């Protein structure tokens, strides 16, 4: 009976020792995997933070570009609105008025051309 108890005790010691060794190996393996995983996650967080900073900078730059473009557009619209009444008045003029203005402009251009071609005879260009 004592032999049975002794053999059971030795078997329990062997099984416990083997289980402890397996548990230790599993722990070491888990610890290595965890360290590698943690390092990879930290690297991923840093890469993501860098991407975020770059994206925020790009967004800031593009918003500034958009504001500049919008300012240019607003200035162009203001200039167009200033010029529009003059163009609209010409559009409302009668055909006779437009023909007269066109003939006056042609006559002025012919006079200017004559003056440029013969500066000495500028008095004869009328």
């Amino acid at each position: 009976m004592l032999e049975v108890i002794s053999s059971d005790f030795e078997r329990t010691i062997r099984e416990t020792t083997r289980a402890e060794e397996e548990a230790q190996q599993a722990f070491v393996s888990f610890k290595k995997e965890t360290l590698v995983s943690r390092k990879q996650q930290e690297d991923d967080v840093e890469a993501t933070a860098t991407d975020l900073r770059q994206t925020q900078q790009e967004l800031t730059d593009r918003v500034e570009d958009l504001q500049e473009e919008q300012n240019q557009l607003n200035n162009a619209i203001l200039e167009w609105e200033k010029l529009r009444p003059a163009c609209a008045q010409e559009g409302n003029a009668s055909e006779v008025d437009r023909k007269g203005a066109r003939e006056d402009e042609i006559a002025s251009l012919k006079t200017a051309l004559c003056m440029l071609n013969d500066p000495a005879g500028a008095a004869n260009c009328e």
Side-chain angles (χ1 to χ4, degrees):
M1 173 98 170
L2 198 51
E3 290 177 13
V4 173
I5 293 173
S6 177
S7 68
D8 285 347
F9 186 69
E10 289 174 9
R11 184 177 41 84
T12 302
I13 291 174
R14 281 193 312 270
E15 289 176 2
T16 304
T17 304
R18 187 177 56 234
E20 285 177 356
E21 288 172 357
E22 289 174 2
Q24 179 65 26
Q25 289 174 355
F27 172 75
V28 169
S29 175
F30 175 75
K31 185 176 180 181
K32 286 180 184 178
E33 290 173 8
T34 302
L35 290 174
V36 169
S37 175
R38 183 173 176 189
K39 176 64 176 156
Q40 185 178 12
Q41 289 173 358
E42 288 172 353
D43 292 346
D44 290 347
V45 167
E46 182 60 34
T48 302
T50 301
D51 288 346
L52 177 62
R53 285 190 298 273
Q54 289 174 347
T55 303
Q56 287 173 335
Q57 184 60 45
E58 288 176 15
L59 179 63
T60 300
D61 293 345
R62 289 184 182 189
V63 166
E64 289 173 0
D65 290 346
L66 176 63
Q67 289 172 345
E68 289 176 18
E69 295 292 329
Q70 187 64 44
N71 288 338
Q72 289 178 356
L73 177 62
N74 291 341
N75 291 337
I77 290 171
L78 289 174
E79 189 65 28
W80 176 71
E81 287 176 352
K82 287 178 188 176
L83 296 174
R84 186 175 174 193
C87 294
Q89 288 175 357
E90 289 179 13
N92 292 335
S94 69
E95 185 177 339
V96 174
D97 293 339
R98 287 191 306 238
K99 183 178 179 182
R102 204 171 32 248
E103 288 173 355
D104 290 343
E105 186 175 356
I106 290 171
S108 296
L109 290 171
K110 284 181 180 179
T111 302
L113 180 62
C114 179
M115 289 179 176
L116 288 172
N117 288 335
D118 186 16
N124 298 332
C125 291
E126 300 275 335

